[in-house]
Amino acid sequence: MDVDEALNDLRLIKRLLSDARRGATTGGAPFFALWGAIWVVGYLLPAVGTPSGRVGPLWLGLDAVGALASAWIGVHLGRSHGQVPYLVRKWFWSGLILLGFGLGALLLAARGQLAPPGPAFFVWPLAVGTWYAVGGLMFDAPVFLALGLWIAAVSVAAPFLAVSPALQQALVGVLAGGATMVTGLGGLRRREGRG
């Protein structure tokens, strides 16, 4: 391999990372805003007096709405902005696989402790925060890294607070979901300023 070929390869890697950083932060902004809002609503359900037997089905409904809205956003973004950068696609699919295995492990280990206020309920936002932090490291995106670490820290700390389980969940919703939503709205603002 000669020096020119090596330099061209390094430029390609740098461009791929730059595209991935932009795609993960500003391209992912609508998803952050959407899922942050869903987390705020879902985690606040017990605090606003929703009967525990209805929290699970309401979460499933929120997740279904989020999944459909995410699919619509993805199709719309693909048509208007082109294909998602390669590394972002790889990170996304690896995250779905990781989260799927994590959910399977939780189901096996927790055996019923996933439902609010079960302690395993806080593992899900911890897994998402960890996934975001890994994306922040991969894409050299400090905002993404900070968001992931914040979500993970809130998810670990909340169940140890000497407050009711409903308030613990509300704190995860407001602090973790709110931070995700604010990150998404900030990314949308930056994207519109650029567009």
Side-chain angles (χ1 to χ4, degrees), residues 163-182:
V163 295
S164 72
L167 189 52
Q168 292 170 352
Q169 292 174 48
L171 288 170
V172 171
V174 171
L175 297 177
T180 304
M181 190 168 52
V182 167

